[in-house]
Amino acid sequence: AAKPPPRFMESLSEAERRALAIESTSLRVRRGELLFRQGTHHDGIYIICPGRIRTFFVAPSGREITLAHWTPHHFVGGPEVFGHGTHQWSGVATAEAEVLHLGGDRLRRMARELPGFAIALIEGLVYKGRCFSSLVQMLGTQSASARLAHVLLGLSDLHGRTVRTADCATEVAISQPFTHDQLASMIGVTRQWVSTMLGKWRSEGILRMEGRRIVIMDHAKLAARCSD
């Protein structure tokens, strides 16, 4: 399995978490409510406590592309984390969320004073940079089926839970439910196409469904679809 992505809050020491609690402001965001909007003033980061935030970009044509779904202990609000810029994309709560907002000036001061905090911030930005680089390459060079396989593997890294079946096979359950519309938004295709492809992969024994949750039954076969 791939190395799990770094979780910002889990990387902090107890003293660093106390400092963060003092310097930040707690906000509650309802499901469907925007946390920040593309093109508006950007100041600092938002650290997710409970909840989930979807980041997305809207092109001039009106087409919307999902960048990522972020879960507790990650932060959103890059790349201008120290402020003095505008948001390059938007963030919306896909579940009731509580976030800690740390303004750019305070973030800069904490990064100077707390080396462990600064390293955790850099590690988070490095991971996000890899995610977005991978997304650009995927959208620009891969077929639709390869993009879907790539996204499902990424979601299994971020939200996956390894389970053992009765015959001792290893499966990975994506713990968060994702609709066909959401998957389509991530790879730039229609919902109908996603439904058809997932149905095909179910018949091939690559994955199965548990309610709205996807379970990857054969990781190697799904990874092979990334080169289709």
Side-chain angles (χ1 to χ4, degrees), residues 69-148:
H69 288 261
W70 299 102
T71 50
H73 306 301
H74 291 287
F75 68 85
V76 293
E80 295 270 4
V81 295
F82 295 129
H84 314 297
T86 59
H87 285 290
Q88 301 300 301
W89 46 77
S90 300
V92 64
T94 57
E96 190 86 10
E98 182 177 338
V99 301
L100 297 176
H101 176 237
L102 185 61
D105 290 342
R106 294 184 177 188
L107 178 61
R108 185 187 295 274
R109 185 172 69 248
M110 288 185 67
R112 284 174 173 164
E113 296 175 355
L114 301 170
F117 179 90
I119 290 172
L121 180 66
I122 292 168
E123 287 178 340
L125 291 172
V126 167
Y127 178 73
K128 292 175 191 301
R130 287 205 310 266
C131 286
F132 296 145
S133 175
S134 178
L135 177 64
V136 169
Q137 294 175 45
M138 177 184 71
L139 291 174
T141 63
Q142 293 183 333
S143 68
S145 59
R147 296 200 301 269
L148 180 58

Side-chain angles (χ1 to χ4, degrees), residues 194-206 225 228:
V194 169
S195 299
T196 299
M197 187 55 63
L198 291 179
K200 180 175 184 292
W201 287 350
R202 283 199 300 271
S203 68
E204 294 175 359
I206 294 175
R225 296 300 186 274
D228 285 353

Side-chain angles (χ1 to χ4, degrees), residues 36-37 39-43 46 83-87:
F36 52 89
R37 185 188 298 275
T40 60
H41 176 66
H42 190 164
D43 182 29
Y46 300 87
H84 314 297
T86 59
H87 285 290

